[in-house]
Amino acid sequence: MIYNIFYNSTKDISWCTDGDISDSVKTTQAGLGLSHVALDLAQIPECDKYYINSDEDGVVAYSSFDLSFSATTIAIDGTVTITNCPAGTELFMDNVSQGTYSSGDLTLTGSMAGSFTLTFKKDKYYDVAQQITVMRYGVWI
């Protein structure tokens, strides 16, 4: 089936339809900064799961992180090492950005007791979150 897909400058799909699209709709959408492509696909691509490829002749599924955590519960001054994190990933702790990851393993040290949610975000990837618990003296605080 042919799908008319409108997407932005970063190739994120804004909207799509299997209906006919007039030239005036294409012109209006172009005025809003959206490009258009008509593609023969098996099913309509979900906007938050696919994007347009670099050649602008197909869709690509978002990637999933393949993170590995050495631990999810540690003592104060203990460490968690995170591997398989792709460069360009932004790390959030309890919804506050901690910066963008560049390369190599990422090692975090527990400096205070509590439960913390680490969220990993990267363009064209599904976000992933992991709770890390830091314990004092081996008991829950």
Side-chain angles (χ1 to χ4, degrees):
M1 175 166 278
I2 301 297
Y3 293 100
N4 288 288
I5 304 170
F6 291 87
Y7 58 97
N8 65 21
S9 61
T10 61
K11 309 286 193 261
D12 290 320
I13 297 172
S14 295
W15 68 279
C16 51
T17 181
D18 61 355
D20 291 331
I21 296 293
S22 68
D23 287 339
S24 66
V25 170
K26 293 176 190 176
T27 300
T28 300
Q29 295 302 297
L32 296 172
L34 298 179
S35 298
H36 170 262
V37 64
L39 297 175
D40 188 0
L41 302 170
Q43 64 185 35
I44 195 164
E46 295 181 51
C47 296
D48 59 349
K49 294 185 179 184
Y50 293 89
Y51 61 96
I52 300 297
N53 67 7
S54 60
D55 291 335
E56 299 179 348
D57 62 1
V59 295
V60 180
Y62 277 29
S63 297
S64 295
F65 284 102
D66 185 27
L67 302 174
S68 178
F69 295 81
S70 63
T72 56
T73 301
I74 59 172
I76 286 187
D77 295 327
T79 60
V80 174
T81 301
I82 304 162
T83 56
N84 300 326
C85 189
T89 299
E90 187 172 7
L91 173 61
F92 293 81
M93 183 168 60
D94 293 336
N95 297 318
V96 176
S97 177
Q98 302 300 305
T100 301
Y101 176 78
S102 58
S103 66
D105 293 347
L106 177 61
T107 301
L108 305 174
T109 302
S111 60
M112 58 190 239
S115 289
F116 307 92
T117 301
L118 300 179
T119 305
F120 299 81
K121 297 181 178 220
K122 181 174 171 63
D123 190 36
K124 312 299 189 248
Y125 276 73
Y126 294 112
D127 293 354
V128 68
Q130 175 65 55
Q131 186 171 358
I132 302 294
T133 302
V134 180
M135 296 179 12
R136 182 182 307 273
Y137 309 118
V139 296
W140 297 103
I141 298 296

